[in-house]
Amino acid sequence: MFLTALLICLFYCSEIEASRKDLAMFAVDNNLQKITSALSEIRLELKTLNHKPKSCEDIYTEDNLSPSGDYVIYPLQKAVRVYCSFEGDYGYTFISRKSSGVALNIAKLYSTNKFAKIRLLMSNGEQREVKVENLLAYRNQSTLSFQSNTHQFVPGPTTGTAQLHPFLFLGFLPKSLVQNRNIQGYRAAGKDFTFRNCDSNPNSYITFLDPKHGTFGNLGYTNAFMNGWISSSTVMDYPKYMDNSFYMDWEMHMGGCGGLMTSKVQSIKAALGLPFAIHNE
């Protein structure tokens, strides 16, 4: 009996000791992450003191070892908080809600408008991403439209939502291509999502906004077409997660019988990534 009790004690004692070691390693990893983050902030501040980059592209051009992360850029005169994601042949600029009211020349933040990247903040805290572009059928007829607090040549937000400044605008098809009762839609993760325009309504956009002084009027609804870019998104690795301040509410409007949906329908926020070419010399 005594021997059995001794063996049980030895077994559980070893398990407890192993658990203590695991907890200790977790604490070390957690502290290392905090130290790494703090060093990154210090590095950012030191660089900013001596240089005021105008874009994420400037940051990478000056130092191609710059890691993806939070930066401060000066596209005009005032500071804009951004997340620069440096990925292969292209990088992406995400603008923080904290800087959403700062005047900027958005054209300076991207080098192509053939595609964009959207990141998603799910209701459970998970972050995902998806590449979006125009339908293959329209690839040679139109590019995406990136605008800030305006939507020239492209139908814009519904009347109520348009009042919720500031906003970033992603337009898919211009009025000249969406006023016919034809097949329209968007492309996400290499797959076309389409609908037939039933009434010549020219809406074809997603607006990303920070509604500080108002609320949505019509919250909209979801369907397989409208939800395609969300369901096609992929989970990101945790080290690539952005701060929640980069994620905004949004309104998506398609058609003429495509649909109207806002971030409130599924409690999912999103961030628009503006693409720029990475030149590795």
Side-chain angles (χ1 to χ4, degrees):
M1 188 74 175
F2 173 76
L3 181 59
T4 301
L6 179 61
L7 290 172
I8 292 174
C9 178
L10 289 173
F11 173 77
Y12 281 106
C13 285
S14 63
E15 288 293 312
I16 291 172
E17 182 63 24
S19 297
R20 286 177 177 172
K21 289 181 178 179
D22 289 342
L23 288 173
M25 289 301 297
F26 176 79
V28 170
D29 289 342
N30 191 40
N31 287 333
L32 284 175
Q33 287 183 358
K34 290 180 179 179
I35 292 171
T36 301
S37 177
L39 289 174
S40 179
E41 287 290 329
I42 293 172
R43 183 170 182 265
L44 169 61
E45 294 300 328
L46 288 174
K47 289 184 69 174
T48 304
L49 285 174
N50 300 314
H51 178 61
K52 292 185 176 181
K54 294 183 178 181
S55 66
C56 288
E57 185 175 3
D58 280 356
I59 292 170
Y60 190 84
T61 299
E62 182 172 317
D63 180 5
N64 61 11
L65 296 180
S66 298
S68 296
D70 292 14
Y71 290 90
V72 175
I73 61 173
Y74 298 81
L76 291 177
Q77 293 183 341
K78 293 186 177 181
V80 176
R81 197 79 182 185
V82 296
Y83 183 94
C84 300
S85 181
F86 304 117
E87 312 172 18
D89 294 333
Y90 283 91
Y92 297 89
T93 302
F94 296 88
I95 301 171
S96 171
R97 283 200 321 273
K98 296 177 181 179
S99 298
S100 59
V102 178
L104 55 86
N105 182 354
I106 197 170
K108 298 293 185 181
L109 304 184
Y110 64 90
S111 63
T112 180
N113 53 0
K114 292 183 178 180
F115 56 87
K117 180 166 285 188
I118 299 178
R119 288 191 175 184
L120 302 166
L121 176 62
M122 312 303 285
S123 58
N124 62 359
E126 180 181 80
Q127 295 191 22
R128 306 174 69 92
E129 63 181 7
V130 63
K131 179 181 177 181
V132 297
E133 51 196 321
N134 270 324
L135 296 173
L136 281 179
Y138 293 96
R139 178 168 289 179
N140 296 325
Q141 301 178 61
S142 178
T143 54
L144 300 179
S145 175
F146 304 134
Q147 301 186 53
S148 175
N149 296 325
T150 186
H151 49 88
Q152 294 181 341
F153 311 115
V154 185
T158 54
T159 303
T161 302
Q163 306 304 314
L164 305 182
H165 285 67
F167 64 79
L168 296 174
F169 183 82
L170 167 60
F172 288 92
L173 297 175
K175 293 180 181 179
S176 59
L177 293 177
V178 294
Q179 291 178 331
N180 299 318
R181 296 171 183 257
N182 53 1
I183 298 297
Q184 297 168 19
Y186 61 93
R187 187 173 178 82
K191 179 182 178 181
D192 282 352
F193 292 87
T194 63
F195 72 99
R196 180 173 290 279
N197 193 314
C198 65
D199 61 6
S200 299
N201 187 320
N203 292 298
S204 182
Y205 67 83
I206 303 177
T207 301
F208 304 80
L209 61 155
D210 183 18
K212 296 176 181 177
H213 306 293
T215 58
F216 287 106
N218 187 348
L219 299 184
Y221 57 89
T222 185
N223 57 38
F225 164 72
M226 296 293 285
N227 202 57
W229 57 291
I230 297 174
S231 60
S232 298
S233 64
T234 56
V235 179
M236 296 167 53
D237 294 332
Y238 182 76
K240 296 181 180 179
Y241 276 25
M242 299 191 302
D243 185 80
N244 288 1
S245 64
F246 287 93
Y247 290 95
M248 304 183 183
D249 284 307
W250 49 269
E251 176 190 83
M252 178 182 185
H253 201 175
M254 292 282 176
C257 296
L260 170 67
M261 182 170 69
T262 69
S263 52
K264 302 299 184 181
V265 175
Q266 300 182 68
S267 297
I268 298 173
K269 294 195 174 185
L272 174 62
L274 304 170
F276 59 90
I278 288 180
H279 304 287
N280 292 305
E281 298 179 355

